[in-house]
Amino acid sequence: MFTPIKQTSISKKVIAQIKEMVSEGSLQKGDKLPSERKMAEKLQVSRTSVREALKELEIMGLIESRQGEGNFIKSNFEDILLDPFSTIFLIKESNAQEILELRHVIEKGSVALAAERIVDEELEEIEKILDTAKTSNSEDELVKLDVMFHYKIAQSSKNFLLQSILNAVSSLIEASIKDTRKNILIKEKHKEIIKQQHNNIYEALKNKDIKAAEKAMSDHLEFVNNEMKKSIKN
Amino acid sequence: MFTPIKQTSISKKVIAQIKEMVSEGSLQKGDKLPSERKMAEKLQVSRTSVREALKELEIMGLIESRQGEGNFIKSNFEDILLDPFSTIFLIKESNAQEILELRHVIEKGSVALAAERIVDEELEEIEKILDTAKTSNSEDELVKLDVMFHYKIAQSSKNFLLQSILNAVSSLIEASIKDTRKNILIKEKHKEIIKQQHNNIYEALKNKDIKAAEKAMSDHLEFVNNEMKKSIKN
């Protein structure tokens, strides 16, 4: 019996070929892909198949099409998880409480790995961030330094997946719990507590003490999350 | 001065309107969207703008277009993180070692929350899984039961984000470290060890002992990850 030859099975082959080229390195981050017409010619398939393949690769987050410029292998994957997390939120499969829990889990895991892997240069950068925060009176600067402090620790874990999740989580917290980071950081009674907590984390990292680092991060986030939960309710 | 009115700014407004409808609940999971033509009419914009908006929403993972059927609000978000994680892997921003670390972090976090939140019915299901595994001689069944055991614990955490990450991570491990779960589970000398470790996790959950649950899960995954790392190298 005849079975119709599906357009999609051809576009799947186009996808497989592009993925293979990325995997073996002949297509790299930021590379421009040939035009749809050229790809159709070279692969001897219809332009529709190429277009379908490109659309699917864009949905996968592997390529980006820039208006008037063409299609490129993406060059930056730091934000790749933000869209799916935002979607989960929008559709209400998850809520602010869960995102705070996820952050706790990820940061506790990151700081443990960081305690093993952090190098002197990274420790110095963290020290510098904390020093600047001690003397800063600008609310916006304090928020920025706080973000940097947590980001630097995730980076020191040398695990890109943990970093990417933390990036997405932080953006979501900023978006869904408006100004909370700021509100927590600037309260006078909080300032001292947080300074001390940050310092405990830094000391544990410096001593490469995994257990102490986990505990210090946990104490810190328990405090911060509790404050944040108050503002979710209000 | 005249500035050109961009097509994209109109499609952004279409996107915002659809997102708003999802957020307020007038569009729900699985709902079919009106046809492109109808949407263009109702919103009084061009069909191109509607098409652009739909494409972007598809990339966000909020809608899916089914060939010949139209566009739908997605109904299942369990696998939403698999594509972005696969892409990170394909482009080699991450590796098998990192994914094993991420799993460890997520499962340790999940089991801690599960120890607080698990209900009797879930405990019974986990017990049943472990009982079936004790008497099973089928390799494939053992693999399936092992997946179910870990999945059930993540579910008991009542945190959809942790579950989604674990889903994606597990699929990636299956795909990138071929047959490893099976190879580890069927070795006679491993069978007893793993049975004991699974039991320790179950007992800790039953006792709602957070620390013990974390430790039992950590011990288990340290063992399993070490075995897996051997097969990455070979």
Side-chain angles (χ1 to χ4, degrees):
Chain A
M1 209 180 95
F2 288 108
T3 47
I5 295 161
K6 279 192 194 153
Q7 188 77 45
T8 44
S9 64
I10 296 173
S11 76
K12 290 269 179 274
K13 282 182 187 161
V14 177
I15 291 168
Q17 198 163 130
I18 294 174
K19 278 184 168 180
E20 179 59 29
M21 287 172 80
V22 170
S23 172
E24 71 184 25
S26 56
L27 272 176
Q28 300 199 333
K29 289 196 279 182
D31 281 357
K32 190 179 172 179
L33 294 172
S35 68
E36 274 178 26
R37 189 182 50 75
K38 273 214 176 130
M39 285 179 72
E41 263 174 39
K42 279 194 184 172
L43 298 164
Q44 300 186 12
V45 299
S46 72
R47 284 184 65 168
T48 314
S49 296
V50 171
R51 207 171 300 127
E52 256 180 41
L54 292 174
K55 189 181 164 195
E56 192 153 327
L57 289 166
E58 202 176 345
I59 290 172
M60 270 195 67
L62 186 62
I63 68 167
E64 57 188 342
S65 84
R66 299 186 207 139
Q67 194 105 41
E69 288 188 70
N71 296 299
F72 296 79
I73 304 293
K74 261 201 194 156
S75 53
N76 187 338
F77 294 86
E78 295 248 310
D79 286 333
I80 195 169
L81 294 176
L82 187 53
D83 263 357
F85 276 129
S86 305
T87 300
I88 288 175
F89 256 61
L90 185 67
I91 202 87
K92 299 192 177 57
E93 294 285 281
S94 186
N95 55 37
Q97 155 90 10
E98 289 189 15
I99 198 91
L100 293 178
E101 282 170 13
L102 175 60
R103 180 171 63 157
H104 196 146
V105 167
I106 293 295
E107 293 223 58
K108 200 172 151 191
S110 305
V111 85
L113 290 170
E116 287 184 61
R117 297 172 184 173
I118 199 163
V119 295
D120 288 348
E121 203 191 340
E122 289 160 338
L123 278 168
E124 278 162 34
E125 286 180 65
I126 292 176
E127 199 184 357
K128 212 179 285 173
I129 292 169
L130 294 183
D131 280 344
T132 314
K134 269 175 211 160
T135 56
S136 170
N137 284 313
S138 149
E139 297 174 5
D140 289 330
E141 195 187 18
L142 276 176
V143 171
K144 232 173 81 182
L145 290 166
D146 187 55
V147 173
M148 278 170 67
F149 174 75
H150 286 274
Y151 183 74
K152 203 75 221 164
I153 291 170
Q155 233 180 9
S156 307
S157 78
K158 316 289 188 292
N159 185 314
F160 183 80
L161 298 171
L162 291 170
Q163 281 172 64
S164 309
I165 296 173
L166 185 62
N167 274 353
V169 163
S170 299
S171 304
L172 269 182
I173 290 176
E174 295 300 314
S176 62
I177 319 179
K178 203 77 184 144
D179 278 342
T180 319
R181 202 188 279 259
K182 199 183 207 164
N183 291 336
I184 292 172
L185 289 170
I186 59 165
K187 273 193 193 155
E188 273 312 319
K189 62 169 181 171
H190 291 164
K191 269 190 183 164
E192 266 315 302
I193 299 174
I194 288 174
K195 203 165 78 182
Q196 189 57 51
Q197 289 175 340
H198 280 175
N199 230 51
N200 292 346
I201 296 170
Y202 168 71
E203 286 296 328
L205 286 173
K206 203 169 143 190
N207 298 328
K208 317 237 163 187
D209 185 336
I210 299 175
K211 288 278 163 228
E214 279 188 323
K215 168 136 190 6
M217 180 62 88
S218 247
D219 289 347
H220 175 47
L221 288 181
E222 220 162 276
F223 173 78
V224 172
N225 283 357
N226 269 333
E227 290 301 314
M228 288 206 168
K229 276 178 215 162
K230 287 181 201 164
S231 18
I232 299 173
K233 279 174 206 153
N234 292 340
Chain B
M1 210 180 96
F2 288 109
T3 46
I5 295 161
K6 280 192 195 154
Q7 185 78 46
T8 45
S9 64
I10 297 172
S11 75
K12 291 269 179 274
K13 282 181 188 160
V14 178
I15 291 169
Q17 197 163 132
I18 293 175
K19 278 184 170 182
E20 180 57 31
M21 288 172 78
V22 170
S23 173
E24 71 185 25
S26 56
L27 272 177
Q28 300 200 332
K29 289 196 279 180
D31 280 358
K32 190 179 172 178
L33 294 171
S35 69
E36 273 177 26
R37 189 182 50 75
K38 274 213 176 130
M39 285 178 73
E41 264 174 37
K42 281 194 184 173
L43 298 164
Q44 300 185 12
V45 300
S46 71
R47 283 185 66 168
T48 315
S49 295
V50 172
R51 207 172 299 128
E52 256 179 41
L54 292 174
K55 189 181 163 193
E56 192 154 326
L57 289 166
E58 201 175 346
I59 290 172
M60 271 195 67
L62 185 63
I63 67 167
E64 57 188 341
S65 84
R66 299 185 206 141
Q67 193 105 43
E69 289 189 69
N71 297 299
F72 296 80
I73 304 292
K74 261 199 194 159
S75 53
N76 186 339
F77 294 87
E78 295 249 310
D79 285 334
I80 195 171
L81 294 175
L82 187 53
D83 262 357
F85 276 129
S86 304
T87 300
I88 289 174
F89 255 60
L90 186 66
I91 202 88
K92 298 191 178 56
E93 294 284 280
S94 188
N95 55 38
Q97 156 89 12
E98 288 188 15
I99 199 91
L100 293 177
E101 283 171 13
L102 175 61
R103 180 172 61 158
H104 195 146
V105 167
I106 293 296
E107 294 222 57
K108 202 174 148 188
S110 306
V111 86
L113 290 170
E116 288 184 62
R117 298 172 184 172
I118 199 162
V119 297
D120 288 349
E121 202 192 342
E122 288 161 337
L123 277 168
E124 277 162 33
E125 285 180 65
I126 292 175
E127 198 184 358
K128 211 179 286 173
I129 292 169
L130 294 182
D131 280 345
T132 316
K134 268 174 210 158
T135 55
S136 169
N137 284 313
S138 148
E139 297 174 6
D140 289 330
E141 194 188 17
L142 276 175
V143 170
K144 232 173 79 183
L145 290 166
D146 187 53
V147 173
M148 278 168 68
F149 174 74
H150 287 273
Y151 182 76
K152 202 75 220 162
I153 291 170
Q155 233 180 9
S156 307
S157 78
K158 317 287 188 291
N159 185 313
F160 183 78
L161 299 171
L162 290 170
Q163 280 173 65
S164 310
I165 297 174
L166 186 62
N167 273 354
V169 163
S170 298
S171 303
L172 269 181
I173 291 175
E174 295 300 315
S176 62
I177 319 178
K178 204 74 186 148
D179 277 344
T180 319
R181 202 187 279 258
K182 198 184 212 166
N183 289 336
I184 292 172
L185 290 169
I186 61 166
K187 274 192 191 157
E188 272 312 319
K189 60 169 182 172
H190 290 165
K191 269 190 182 164
E192 266 315 303
I193 300 174
I194 288 175
K195 204 165 78 183
Q196 188 57 52
Q197 290 175 340
H198 279 174
N199 230 52
N200 293 344
I201 296 170
Y202 168 71
E203 286 295 330
L205 286 172
K206 203 169 144 188
N207 299 327
K208 317 239 164 187
D209 184 335
I210 300 176
K211 288 279 163 225
E214 280 188 321
K215 170 139 191 0
M217 182 61 88
S218 247
D219 288 347
H220 174 48
L221 288 180
E222 219 162 277
F223 174 77
V224 172
N225 283 358
N226 269 331
E227 289 301 314
M228 288 207 168
K229 276 179 212 160
K230 287 182 201 164
S231 19
I232 299 173
K233 280 174 203 152
N234 294 341

